[in-house]
Amino acid sequence: MYPYPYLASVDPEAQEGTFVYQLSAHYSGSENSSTEISYARIAGGEERFDVDTDTGVVLTTGLPLTPDREYVVTVLAIDEYGSKSPYAFISILAGTRPPQFTNTSYNVFVPENTPADEKVAVLEAVSFQSQPLSYTLLMNPSGLFSMEQGTGELSLTRTVDYESEHHLYHFLVKAAEAESLLSSVTEVIVHITDENDCSPEFQQSIYSRENILESIPVGTSLLQVLATDCDSGSNSEVLYFVQSVDFSITPEGAISSNQRLNFERENHMYEFVVIAVDNGHPPRTGTASVRIRMTNVNDEAPVFSQAV
């Protein structure tokens, strides 16, 4: 049963048994898919309409209809165990009714970098007179959108960058019958969503610290690194890692020693790579170099080259 709300139209001169609307009740899950469901008219319609118990088809009874009058029929679905559905209200106009969109409004989510001319949504309407429909944009913010007149397919005229352009676009679409010129308008809200297209970037390519005493306590914070990501939301969240067993790094980018450091090493320096990884899918990375230059401490006792 779509679109919602349940709308229908019928010729005021309709004869008895004329088809008006098809109701179809079902379970939200599949566990009772084989259970028989019956339908009953509960109220409304002034006896001008009835519903087929087995099929859910709403039909005229043959009583005269008042032109341009709206009749509301209330229908209930009941399964073989006596379980009842919520009431369904069908508004039936005795006359011609404008087209009805399948949604009262549309929220469309479009990832940035979606190619131009790629379909992002289909806006559908129903013609109660079974006439062909023509779809047009009543406004087109930034000239960003294109509408296929015959099908209601919505696409972009160009790619969009989330980081430098608007994230929300609001406009109206009209569906019109070619012969009767009857038309309806619906609201469309397009949300541009962020893609993980930025990699983390460190503020410096090389971080260095000079004159670190080899006697500093284990766990001493030595320097701070920082990487930023131009994406938004979780795509911009950054985790840090170091490629060294001698050092560790906090979630905030503070680097500290994991063990006692030693001046007596090549070039008296520790050099390693720090990595920033964002939280996108798939993740993107950035790297920087870290150099820690040591200063000697008199921690070695003299040793004779031979025993005296």
Side-chain angles (χ1 to χ4, degrees):
M1 296 185 298
Y2 91 96
Y4 184 85
Y6 308 140
L7 303 181
S9 66
V10 65
D11 190 322
E13 305 297 327
Q15 301 298 308
E16 179 182 357
T18 298
F19 174 89
V20 178
Y21 199 87
Q22 172 70 67
L23 289 165
S24 178
H26 59 87
Y27 291 95
S28 57
S30 59
E31 67 277 1
N32 295 313
S33 58
S34 61
T35 303
E36 293 185 4
I37 296 175
S38 60
Y39 303 85
R41 183 179 66 84
I42 301 302
E46 302 178 6
E47 307 297 330
R48 268 70 176 166
F49 304 93
D50 204 355
V51 60
D52 186 283
T53 302
D54 298 321
T55 64
V57 172
V58 179
L59 305 166
T60 57
T61 62
L63 293 178
L65 299 170
T66 302
D68 297 323
R69 180 168 181 176
E70 192 102 22
Y71 299 87
V72 179
V73 177
T74 305
V75 177
L76 185 69
I78 309 169
D79 69 15
E80 58 186 283
Y81 303 109
S83 298
K84 300 177 181 180
S85 72
Y87 290 136
F89 303 95
I90 305 99
S91 296
I92 305 169
L93 178 65
T96 55
R97 184 187 288 279
Q100 181 190 9
F101 279 94
T102 55
N103 293 58
T104 54
S105 65
Y106 293 80
N107 276 282
V108 181
F109 294 86
V110 180
E112 66 170 330
N113 302 323
T114 296
D117 300 323
E118 181 174 305
K119 178 179 67 178
V120 296
V122 178
L123 280 61
E124 292 183 272
V126 174
S127 169
F128 295 97
Q129 287 67 242
S130 300
Q131 293 185 16
L133 293 173
S134 175
Y135 300 88
T136 54
L137 294 168
L138 293 185
M139 56 184 74
N140 191 359
S142 303
L144 181 59
F145 302 97
S146 175
M147 174 66 67
E148 179 63 39
Q149 196 171 41
T151 63
E153 290 186 0
L154 182 69
S155 59
L156 302 182
T157 58
R158 56 179 174 80
T159 58
V160 183
D161 179 45
Y162 182 91
E163 285 72 37
S164 62
E165 300 189 56
H166 294 296
H167 304 159
L168 192 68
Y169 296 87
H170 178 274
F171 54 94
L172 301 176
V173 173
K174 181 175 77 171
E177 295 179 346
E179 297 177 18
S180 70
L181 300 182
L182 291 172
S183 64
S184 293
V185 172
T186 191
E187 173 189 55
V188 181
I189 302 173
V190 175
H191 307 257
I192 304 299
T193 59
D194 185 38
E195 291 277 280
N196 190 32
D197 56 353
C198 292
S199 297
E201 293 186 6
F202 283 94
Q203 292 185 337
Q204 301 171 216
S205 60
I206 299 175
Y207 290 84
S208 61
R209 181 76 186 274
E210 303 290 333
N211 301 320
I212 299 298
L213 295 174
E214 62 178 342
S215 60
I216 62 167
V218 174
T220 299
S221 180
L222 300 174
L223 56 79
Q224 175 78 44
V225 300
L226 178 63
T228 57
D229 191 304
C230 68
D231 288 311
S232 66
S234 62
N235 288 338
S236 66
E237 296 173 1
V238 174
L239 295 175
Y240 297 100
F241 301 90
V242 291
Q243 291 184 326
S244 171
V245 296
D246 299 309
F247 299 90
S248 60
I249 189 167
T250 68
E252 293 76 29
I255 295 176
S256 58
S257 58
N258 266 348
Q259 54 194 10
R260 184 175 176 84
L261 302 181
N262 187 11
F263 173 80
E264 286 77 21
R265 60 182 291 114
E266 186 178 356
N267 296 324
H268 313 302
M269 183 175 67
Y270 291 87
E271 186 170 14
F272 56 93
V273 173
V274 60
I275 305 171
V277 182
D278 69 22
N279 200 31
H281 300 282
R284 299 172 73 99
T285 62
T287 61
S289 295
V290 176
R291 295 172 182 171
I292 306 291
R293 193 174 297 277
M294 306 302 299
T295 294
N296 192 28
V297 173
N298 187 21
D299 57 355
E300 299 287 345
V303 176
F304 286 101
S305 60
Q306 63 186 52
V308 177

